[in-house]
Amino acid sequence: MKTVLFSYNASHYHTNLAVRALRTSLSELKNTENETKVIEFSLKDKRAAVLSALYGENADIYAFSTYIWNIRETLDIARNLKKLRPSSKIVFGGPEASFRAEEITQELDFIDCVIVGEGEIGIKTAISSHPKLPKIINSPQDPEFENRPIHYVLPSGETEDLAPGKFVYYESSRGCPFSCGYCLSGNDCKVRAKSVEKTLADLADFEKLSGGKRTVKLVDRTFNYDLPRAKAVWRGLLSESYTNCYHFEIQPGILDEESFDILSSAPMGKFQLEAGIQSVNPAVLKECGRGGDIVRELENLKRLKSIENVPVHCDLICGLPTEDLGSIREGVNKAFYVCNELQIGFLKLLYGARITKDAEKYGMIYMTEPSYEVLSTDTLSFSELMSLRGIAKVCDRVVNSGRFTRALEYILGNEPGASPLRVTPFDFLLALSERLNGDPSAYSQAAMYEQVCLTAYGFCENEEQKNAVKAALLADFTANERTRIPRLLLR
């Protein structure tokens, strides 16, 4: 019997942890001959090539890992694969299938089975039930989670041969102690975690992968929920035997003095931290079911940023219940100064999330197809959200690219109220977005320097300030670009 575990990834740089976890679980099957193969493609790959690769496997079971970013393409491939291989069984799992299993099995006859919940046990049930799979398999929690390996080791004991630069993922805990209404992890507030010793041993196994130094992204929803455990892992990773870069999602308000001491001693490139503060409005956060002290979180993020050797990524969500444009403006203006990268995202009304059930209560209109992004709320209009989307794109292109650091430091200052041009981050990004008609992708890199310059000129009060803007942009350009310097910067 042959099983193919398939995933569409967002880009060629990603790898899928879920299908590898299922592969590990299937390797434990006894007294059965089951060949298991993981196949991954990128959404940028041609559909025909994907379908051809899957068809060529002639598998008994094709199991698909589904998320909001790949569900459309996955459905298309699975539907056509079933036409070509009608005797093969199509199994779906993942968040885009688990939370609407009844609907999927009733409406899509090419899907034979949906696994609900953690898949490690469910996929074994599917194998043992073949060919008479139940329409829905309610899979229990994996009892062996705390003992699982890194999943990039093949059943033969050999490590995967991954191309250099590909991200790899590790799960040291499942569940989240918080119950945020916009997040699926808020449904599982009981956390199961691997021990410090097991976590460090597993992370050491990533050193065996070929391709040189990599970014290991820990998918724990809140890595430092157990602060002593988190500090012990961070302290262990300071050893020179750990050569990769480790990315953690944290709750910054939990950090203590010892945490800062450990993180400040890490060499540049060892750690990356991500904090999803989502909003700086306590009332909005309370409405979402999110606890914490946002003032302390911002203070700790600012302190982390000042350490300089640990890059800080910060997330905001636009469209949260009861939040209006003024509150989002305040969030952008505060978050900008406490992180190295600022991601301005948009609320997605996910199947299974508590807020989705309360959408009508908050006057939420949202896309009926993935990615289910909010279109308007009773406190935020569609036109305001469209404007925010332009700001988000500009923020990615200008702030997060790291190519305009000197210019932004001059234009916006190093802290709130310190801008010599008396402009806030939100208002500057808004002005730049409006100049670009909300689409920075339409401009070349050189043209972006000119557009940033012209936008900043609009806030300048004299020629001295204009010359300072131009000088800062010229320094950024010569440090980061290799093309001809734009004329505007040379005048």
Side-chain angles (χ1 to χ4, degrees), residues 135-422:
K135 283 290 186 179
I136 296 175
I137 295 174
N138 289 296
S139 184
Q141 290 184 340
D142 179 19
E144 291 299 317
F145 167 72
E146 289 89 341
N147 302 314
R148 297 290 186 193
I150 66 171
H151 301 311
Y152 291 85
V153 176
L154 300 172
S156 64
E158 299 177 359
T159 56
E160 284 192 49
D161 185 17
L162 297 173
K166 277 187 176 283
F167 293 121
V168 290
Y169 300 87
Y170 177 68
E171 188 178 25
S172 81
S173 67
R174 280 188 182 174
C176 181
F178 304 106
S179 55
C180 305
Y182 47 77
C183 181
L184 296 179
S185 297
N187 297 325
D188 184 10
C189 297
K190 184 178 180 181
V191 184
R192 293 170 288 151
K194 298 179 180 179
S195 68
V196 171
E197 295 75 19
K198 170 64 173 169
T199 298
L200 289 172
D202 284 348
L203 292 174
D205 284 340
F206 281 103
E207 301 293 325
K208 302 172 185 177
L209 296 180
S210 61
K213 181 177 178 178
R214 296 179 181 276
T215 297
V216 181
K217 290 197 170 187
L218 281 84
V219 299
D220 304 46
R221 303 314 301 155
T222 306
F223 178 75
N224 65 327
Y225 82 98
D226 179 344
L227 192 57
R229 174 181 176 273
K231 290 187 291 188
V233 172
W234 286 335
R235 194 179 297 109
L237 290 175
L238 294 179
S239 167
E240 294 182 357
S241 61
Y242 294 94
T243 65
N244 290 304
C245 173
Y246 305 92
H247 182 106
F248 303 91
E249 186 165 341
I250 65 164
Q251 214 295 358
I254 300 175
L255 299 175
D256 61 8
E257 285 300 319
E258 187 181 11
S259 302
F260 288 108
D261 289 341
I262 296 170
L263 294 170
S264 63
S265 64
M268 179 69 75
K270 173 79 78 167
F271 297 144
Q272 296 175 353
L273 300 179
E274 178 175 352
I277 61 172
Q278 319 311 2
S279 173
V280 301
N281 188 324
V284 171
L285 294 172
K286 183 178 180 181
E287 193 71 23
C288 295
R290 181 183 177 90
D293 180 347
I294 188 60
V295 174
R296 178 176 171 81
E297 290 174 33
L298 291 170
E299 290 174 348
N300 283 353
L301 284 173
K302 182 178 180 180
R303 187 171 175 184
L304 282 174
K305 184 184 178 184
S306 70
I307 294 174
E308 295 186 343
N309 61 320
V310 180
V312 178
H313 176 107
C314 189
D315 298 324
L316 294 174
I317 297 179
C318 300
L320 292 173
T322 73
E323 186 155 45
D324 59 16
L325 186 61
S327 178
I328 294 171
R329 175 185 281 112
E330 182 183 5
V332 172
N333 288 337
K334 288 183 176 180
F336 176 85
Y337 293 103
V338 299
C339 62
N340 304 99
E341 290 186 358
L342 174 60
Q343 180 176 327
I344 303 172
F346 297 85
L347 179 66
K348 297 173 177 60
L349 281 296
L350 303 172
Y351 282 98
R354 191 176 67 254
I355 280 181
T356 305
K357 301 173 185 176
D358 295 333
E360 186 175 349
K361 171 184 174 182
Y362 301 113
M364 291 179 174
I365 299 173
Y366 58 99
M367 298 177 183
T368 55
E369 299 293 329
S371 59
Y372 315 116
E373 281 192 3
V374 66
L375 298 173
S376 68
T377 73
D378 56 9
T379 53
L380 201 62
S381 69
F382 175 70
S383 59
E384 287 172 330
L385 273 164
M386 290 300 293
S387 179
L388 289 168
R389 284 188 172 89
I391 291 174
K393 292 177 183 177
V394 167
C395 186
D396 280 340
R397 181 76 183 271
V398 176
V399 179
N400 298 339
S401 68
R403 294 176 178 270
F404 299 85
T405 54
R406 297 169 183 83
L408 291 174
E409 183 175 353
Y410 176 74
I411 295 168
L412 301 175
N414 290 316
E415 59 184 25
S419 166
L421 309 187
R422 294 190 289 188

